[in-house]
C-alpha cells in the first residue's frame, strides 16, 4: 500500500526511519494515519540517503510493515495540489452554474405563479362572460316569447279587423236598408210596429259598434315592455362603447410600449455588437500578449543556451592549451581546479560516477513514468470519443489529472536532465584529470593555436542584442498587462449589465405578450357583445315599429267606428221624429 511519510535521518550511527502521515485508499483517496515510525534497513536505507532529513516521500509498504520502495513525494504532491485546485475551480464554476439555475428556477416559479394568477383572472372573466351569455340567452328567450305574444296579438287584431270589416259591411247593408225604409217612410207615414222594429235594429247596430273591451290594452303593455328593453339595450350599448374607447386607449398604450420595447431591444443588440467588437479587440491584445510572452520565453531559452555555450567555450579555453581567446587568459576564463592528490581524485571520480548512475536511473525511471502517463492519456482520449454522456465527466476528470501529471513530470524532468548533463560533463573532466595524474597518455600531438576570441565576441554581441530584445518585450508585456486588466474588468461589468438588460427585456416581452393576449380577449368579448347587442336592438326597433303601425291602424278603425256611430244616432233621431209625426 502507498503511504505518505516523513523521512527522519538522525545524526550519528542511528538508522533512518519513516514517520507515516497518510495512506492511499483503493478509490485513490488519502486518509491520515497515526502509526509508529518504520526503521529503514538494507537497500531501502541506501536509497533514503539521497533524500534530505525531513523530506516527504512516498513509500510502498506491505501488510507486514516492510518497505519495498520509496520515491520523492514533492512532485506527486504538486500534482495532487494542482488537481485539487482544478477540482475546486470546477466545483466553483458548477456552484455558479447551480446558483444561476436556482435563480432561473426562482424566476420560472414566479412566472408560473403570475401565470396562474392570470389564468384565475381569465377564468373569472370567462365566468362573467358566461353569466352575460346566459343573460343574453334569457333575453333572447324572452324576446322569442314576446315575438310569439306579438304574433298572437297581431293575429287577434287581424281577427278583430276581419270582424269589424264584416260588421262594417253589415252596417253598410243596414244603412242601405234604413235609407230605403227612410225613403219609404218619407213617402208614407211610419207605423208604430215598424218604428219599434227599426228601433230594435238601431239598438243592435249600436251594440255591434260598441266593443266589449279595449283591444289596445295588451298592445300597450307589450309596447311598454319593448320600450324598457330598448332602454336596457341602449344602456348596454353605451357601456359597450365606453369599454371600446377604453380598450382602444389601452391598445394605443400597448402599441406604444411595444414600439419602445423594440427600440430598446434594437439598442441592446447594438450594444452587444459593440461589446463583441471590444471583446474581439481585447482577445487580439491577449493573443499579442501571449505571443510576446512566448517570444520572451524563447529569448530566455536562447539566453540560457548562450550562457551554456559561453561557459563551454571558456571551459575549452581552460582545459586545452592550444585554444586561446583574444584578451582572455586561461586563468581569467575560469577558476583553476584546486590541487588534489591521486587518492582523493580517485575517490571523487568514483563518487561522481555513483551519483551520475543514481541520477541517470532516477531520470530514466521518470521518463518511463512519463511515457506511461502519456500512453494512459492517449487511451483516455480514445475512450472519451466513444463514451456515453454519463461517463464523459469522469473520463474528462481523468484526462485532466493525466495531463497535469504529464505536465508536472515534464517540468520536473527538464532541470534534472540539465543537472544530469552537468554531472556527466564534470565526470568526464575529472576522469581526464585523473588520467593525467595517473600518467596515462592524454596529450595529443602538438596542434596549432586556435583563437576563439572572435567567436566569444559574437556570442557576447548576440547576448547583448537578446538582452535588449528581452527588455523591450518585458516593457511591452508590462504595458499590455496593465491595460488588459482594466479592459477585462470593464468587459465583465458590461457583460453583466447586458445580461441584466436582456433579462429585463425578456420580462417586458412576457408582460407585453400577456397584455397582448388580454387585449385580444377583450376585443373578442367586445366584438361578441357588439355582434349580439346591435341586431337585438334592431329587432326590438322593428317590433316597436310594428306596434306603432298597429296603433295607427286601430286609431283609423276607431275613427271609422265613431263616424258609423254618429250616423246611427242620426238615423235614430230621424226615426223618433218620424214616429212622432
Amino acid at each position: 500500500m502507498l503511504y505518505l511519510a516523513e523521512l527522519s535521518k538522525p545524526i550519528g550511527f542511528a538508522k533512518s526511519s519513516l514517520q507515516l502521515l497518510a495512506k492511499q485508499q483503493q478509490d485513490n483517496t488519502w486518509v491520515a494515519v497515526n502509526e509508529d515510525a518504520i526503521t529503514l534497513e538494507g537497500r531501502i536505507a541506501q536509497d533514503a540517503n539521497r533524500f534530505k532529513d525531513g523530506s516527504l516521500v512516498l513509500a510502498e509498504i506491505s501488510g507486514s510493515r516492510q518497505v519495498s520502495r520509496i520515491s520523492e513525494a514533492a512532485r506527486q504532491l504538486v500534482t495532487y495540489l494542482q488537481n485539487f485546485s482544478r477540482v475546486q475551480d470546477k466545483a466553483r464554476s458548477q456552484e455558479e452554474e447551480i446558483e444561476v439555475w436556482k435563480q432561473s428556477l426562482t424566476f420560472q416559479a414566479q412566472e408560473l405563479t403570475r401565470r396562474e394568477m392570470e389564468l384565475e383572472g381569465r377564468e373569472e372573466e370567462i365566468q362573467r362572460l358566461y353569466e352575460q351569455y346566459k343573460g343574453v340567452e334569457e333575453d333572447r328567450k324572452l324576446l322569442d316569447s314576446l315575438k310569439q305574444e306579438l304574433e298572437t296579438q297581431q293575429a287577434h287584431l287581424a281577427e278583430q279587423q276581419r270582424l269589424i270589416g264584416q260588421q262594417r259591411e253589415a252596417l253598410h247593408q243596414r244603412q242601405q236598408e234604413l235609407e230605403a225604409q227612410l225613403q219609404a217612410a218619407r213617402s208614407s207615414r211610419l207605423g208604430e210596429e215598424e218604428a219599434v222594429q227599426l228601433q230594435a235594429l238601431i239598438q243592435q247596430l249600436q251594440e255591434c259598434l260598441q266593443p266589449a273591451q279595449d283591444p289596445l290594452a295588451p298592445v300597450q303593455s307589450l309596447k311598454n315592455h319593448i320600450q324598457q328593453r330598448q332602454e336596457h339595450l341602449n344602456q348596454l350599448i353605451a357601456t359597450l362603447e365606453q369599454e371600446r374607447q377604453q380598450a382602444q386607449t389601452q391598445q394605443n398604450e400597448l402599441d406604444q410600449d411595444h414600439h419602445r420595447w423594440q427600440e430598446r431591444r434594437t439598442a441592446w443588440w447594438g450594444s452587444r455588437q459593440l461589446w463583441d467588437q471590444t471583446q474581439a479587440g481585447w482577445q487580439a491584445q491577449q493573443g499579442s500578449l501571449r505571443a510576446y510572452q512566448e517570444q520572451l520565453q524563447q529569448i530566455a531559452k536562447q539566453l540560457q543556451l548562450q550562457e551554456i555555450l559561453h561557459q563551454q567555450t571558456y571551459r575549452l579555453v581552460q582545459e586545452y592549451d592550444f585554444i586561446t581567446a583574444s584578451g582572455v587568459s586561461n586563468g581569467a576564463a575560469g577558476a583553476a581546479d584546486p590541487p588534489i592528490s591521486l587518492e582523493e581524485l580517485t575517490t571523487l571520480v568514483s563518487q561522481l560516477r555513483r551519483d551520475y548512475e543514481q541520477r541517470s536511473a532516477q531520470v530514466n525511471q521518470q521518463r518511463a513514468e512519463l511515457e506511461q502517463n502519456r500512453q494512459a492519456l492517449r487511451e483516455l482520449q480514445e475512450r472519451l470519443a466513444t463514451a456515453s454522456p454519463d461517463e464523459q465527466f469522469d473520463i474528462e476528470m481523468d484526462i485532466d489529472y493525466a495531463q497535469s501529471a504529464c505536465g508536472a513530470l515534464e517540468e520536473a524532468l527538464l532541470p534534472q536532465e540539465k543537472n544530469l548533463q552537468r554531472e556527466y560533463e564534470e565526470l568526464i573532466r575529472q576522469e581526464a584529470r585523473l588520467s593525467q595524474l595517473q600518467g596515462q597518455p592524454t596529450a595529443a600531438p602538438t596542434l596549432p593555436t586556435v583563437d576563439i576570441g572572435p567567436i566569444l565576441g559574437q556570442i557576447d554581441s548576440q547576448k547583448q542584442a537578446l538582452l535588449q530584445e528581452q527588455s523591450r518585450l518585458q516593457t511591452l508585456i508590462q504595458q499590455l498587462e496593465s491595460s488588459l486588466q482594466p479592459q477585462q474588468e470593464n468587459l465583465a461589468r458590461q457583460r453583466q449589465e447586458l445580461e441584466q438588460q436582456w433579462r429585463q427585456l425578456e420580462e417586458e416581452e412576457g408582460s407585453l405578450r400577456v397584455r397582448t393576449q388580454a387585449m385580444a380577449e377583450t376585443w373578442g368579448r367586445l366584438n361578441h357583445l357588439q355582434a349580439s347587442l346591435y341586431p337585438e336592438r334592431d329587432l326590438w326597433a322593428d317590433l316597436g315599429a310594428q306596434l306603432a303601425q298597429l296603433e295607427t291602424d286601430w286609431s283609423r278603425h276607431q275613427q271609422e267606428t265613431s263616424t258609423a256611430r254618429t250616423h246611427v244616432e242620426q238615423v235614430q233621431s230621424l226615426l223618433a221624429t218620424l214616429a212622432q209625426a
Side-chain angles (χ1 to χ4, degrees):
M1 185 175 292
L2 187 62
Y3 283 81
L4 175 65
E6 181 182 2
L7 179 63
S8 177
K9 298 174 68 175
I11 300 174
F13 296 98
K15 296 182 180 180
S16 300
S17 63
L18 291 177
Q19 179 61 48
L20 304 183
L21 302 177
K23 68 178 179 180
Q24 188 179 26
Q25 301 289 340
Q26 293 181 355
D27 55 353
N28 293 330
T29 58
W30 291 82
V31 295
V33 296
N34 187 13
E35 300 181 5
D36 297 336
I38 298 177
T39 304
L40 301 180
E41 298 178 353
R43 181 181 60 83
I44 302 300
Q46 294 179 359
D47 292 340
N49 290 331
R50 56 192 176 93
F51 300 105
K52 296 180 180 180
D53 183 29
S55 298
L56 294 177
V57 296
L58 294 174
E60 288 285 348
I61 302 176
S62 63
S64 58
R65 295 175 61 84
Q66 296 294 323
V67 181
S68 59
R69 183 177 65 87
I70 61 173
S71 61
E72 183 183 4
R75 177 176 50 81
Q76 193 73 12
L77 287 176
V78 170
T79 302
Y80 289 152
L81 290 175
Q82 289 176 346
N83 292 333
F84 180 71
S85 177
R86 291 190 180 93
V87 170
Q88 280 187 331
D89 292 338
K90 285 189 176 181
R92 192 177 298 110
S93 63
Q94 290 177 355
E95 288 178 357
E96 293 175 355
E97 292 179 358
I98 291 172
E99 186 64 27
V100 171
W101 291 343
K102 287 182 179 179
Q103 294 177 0
S104 177
L105 289 175
T106 303
F107 174 74
Q108 291 178 5
Q110 294 175 354
E111 186 69 16
L112 287 175
T113 304
R114 183 177 61 82
R115 291 185 178 180
E116 287 178 356
M117 295 176 64
E118 291 175 356
L119 287 176
E120 291 177 358
R122 291 178 186 174
E123 289 179 357
E124 293 177 357
E125 181 68 17
I126 291 172
Q127 184 66 27
R128 186 175 65 82
L129 290 175
Y130 180 70
E131 295 295 334
Q132 290 182 357
Y133 173 75
K134 290 198 299 184
V136 171
E137 286 294 326
E138 292 177 357
D139 292 340
R140 185 168 297 173
K141 291 178 180 179
L142 178 60
L143 180 61
D144 292 337
S145 63
L146 291 175
K147 286 175 64 177
Q148 292 178 0
E149 184 178 355
L150 180 60
E151 290 175 356
T152 304
Q153 293 294 332
Q154 286 179 346
H156 178 69
L157 288 175
E159 182 66 22
Q160 290 291 331
Q161 288 178 351
R162 186 182 64 78
L163 294 175
I164 290 172
Q166 292 177 358
Q167 292 176 2
R168 187 180 298 165
E169 291 178 357
L171 178 61
H172 184 66
Q173 292 177 0
R174 293 289 180 88
Q175 284 179 349
Q176 291 178 354
E177 292 177 358
L178 287 173
E179 289 177 357
Q181 291 177 3
L182 183 58
Q183 291 294 332
R186 287 176 181 176
S187 58
S188 62
R189 184 178 179 183
L190 184 64
E192 184 177 354
E193 185 178 356
E194 292 176 352
V196 172
Q197 292 179 356
L198 288 175
Q199 191 67 29
L201 289 174
I202 290 172
Q203 187 67 29
Q204 292 178 1
L205 183 58
Q206 287 179 347
E207 291 177 357
C208 291
L209 291 176
Q210 185 68 30
Q213 59 181 356
D214 189 8
L216 288 179
V219 175
Q220 187 64 33
S221 176
L222 182 60
K223 182 179 179 180
N224 293 333
H225 183 75
I226 290 175
Q227 289 178 353
Q228 292 177 1
R229 186 59 186 171
Q230 284 180 337
E231 291 176 357
H232 180 66
L233 287 175
N234 289 330
Q235 292 178 358
L236 291 178
I237 290 174
T239 305
L240 174 63
E241 292 298 330
Q242 292 179 358
E243 291 183 358
R244 287 183 66 88
Q245 291 178 0
Q246 294 176 0
Q248 186 63 43
T249 303
Q250 294 176 1
Q251 183 67 44
N252 295 334
E253 294 177 355
L254 178 60
D255 294 338
Q256 292 176 1
D257 293 342
H258 189 267
H259 180 68
R260 286 194 293 267
W261 177 81
Q262 287 181 340
E263 291 179 348
R264 289 182 58 191
R265 186 179 65 174
T266 303
W268 185 88
W269 279 113
S271 301
R272 176 59 186 271
Q273 292 178 357
L274 181 61
W275 184 85
D276 291 338
Q277 294 175 1
T278 306
Q279 187 186 27
W282 179 81
Q283 290 177 350
Q285 292 182 358
Q286 191 75 16
S288 300
L289 177 62
R290 287 194 295 269
Y292 289 151
Q293 290 174 346
E294 292 176 358
Q295 189 175 357
L296 185 62
Q297 291 177 359
Q298 294 295 329
I299 290 176
K301 291 180 181 179
Q302 292 179 8
L303 285 173
Q304 188 177 6
L305 293 175
Q306 289 282 352
E307 184 66 25
I308 294 173
L309 181 60
H310 197 273
Q311 293 177 2
Q312 290 178 352
T313 305
Y314 276 112
R315 188 177 298 169
L316 290 175
V317 173
Q318 179 185 1
E319 293 179 356
Y320 300 98
D321 296 334
F322 67 91
I323 299 176
T324 62
S326 299
V328 181
S329 63
N330 288 349
D337 292 326
I340 191 172
S341 64
L342 180 61
E343 291 79 5
E344 292 176 348
L345 185 58
T346 302
T347 304
L348 177 61
V349 169
S350 299
Q351 182 65 32
L352 289 174
R353 185 178 291 111
R354 285 194 300 271
D355 293 342
Y356 173 74
E357 289 175 353
Q358 291 179 359
R359 179 75 67 178
S360 178
Q362 292 177 4
V363 170
N364 291 331
Q365 182 181 1
Q366 292 180 0
R367 286 174 180 170
E369 186 177 356
L370 176 61
E371 185 60 31
Q372 291 177 359
N373 289 337
R374 288 175 177 173
Q375 181 63 29
L377 178 60
R378 287 192 292 269
E379 292 176 356
L380 289 172
Q381 290 175 347
E382 292 176 357
R383 286 177 55 194
L384 182 62
T386 58
S388 62
D390 297 334
E391 298 175 349
Q392 286 181 356
F393 178 77
D394 296 335
I395 296 177
E396 288 176 355
M397 293 288 293
D398 295 338
I399 289 176
D400 292 340
Y401 175 78
Q403 288 177 346
S404 61
C406 291
L409 284 174
E410 291 174 354
E411 293 176 359
L413 270 176
L414 183 60
Q416 292 184 15
E417 289 178 345
K418 291 180 180 179
N419 293 334
L420 183 64
Q421 181 65 26
R422 286 195 294 270
E423 291 179 1
Y424 177 73
E425 293 174 355
E426 181 66 18
L427 176 61
I428 295 301
R429 192 173 67 84
Q430 296 298 335
E431 285 180 347
R433 289 182 62 193
L434 180 61
S435 299
Q436 290 178 358
L437 289 177
Q438 288 176 350
Q440 296 179 359
T442 58
T446 304
L447 298 175
T449 303
V450 178
D451 186 9
I452 61 174
I455 298 176
L456 293 176
Q458 292 180 0
I459 293 174
D460 291 335
S461 62
Q462 292 177 0
K463 182 177 180 181
Q464 292 298 325
L466 289 174
L467 288 174
Q468 292 177 0
E469 182 67 16
Q470 185 183 29
S471 177
R472 186 183 69 84
L473 288 176
Q474 288 176 349
T475 303
L476 288 175
I477 289 173
Q478 291 177 357
Q479 292 176 354
L480 284 175
E481 288 178 346
S482 61
S483 63
L484 285 176
Q485 183 63 29
Q487 291 181 10
Q488 185 178 7
E489 294 176 356
N490 190 22
L491 285 172
R493 179 178 56 79
Q494 291 178 358
R495 180 181 179 85
Q496 292 179 355
E497 292 177 355
L498 288 174
E499 290 177 351
Q500 184 178 2
Q501 292 175 4
W502 181 253
R503 287 194 293 268
Q504 292 177 356
L505 287 173
E506 287 182 341
E507 292 176 359
E508 292 179 1
E509 183 182 8
S511 177
L512 288 174
R513 189 178 293 111
V514 171
R515 290 173 60 188
T516 301
Q517 187 173 0
M519 286 304 303
E521 294 176 355
T522 301
W523 282 116
R525 178 178 62 84
L526 294 177
N527 293 331
H528 174 72
L529 289 175
Q530 182 178 1
S532 60
L533 290 178
Y534 282 94
E536 187 177 357
R537 185 187 65 176
D538 296 338
L539 182 58
W540 285 105
D542 293 339
L543 291 175
Q546 293 177 8
L547 287 177
Q549 184 65 35
L550 284 175
E551 288 180 346
T552 303
D553 293 341
W554 180 252
S555 297
R556 186 172 60 252
H557 174 68
Q558 282 183 336
Q559 291 177 359
E560 293 177 352
T561 304
S562 178
T563 303
R565 190 179 298 112
T566 303
H567 291 166
V568 170
E569 290 176 355
Q570 291 176 357
V571 171
Q572 188 177 6
S573 177
L574 181 59
L575 288 175
T577 302
L578 291 174
Q580 291 177 0

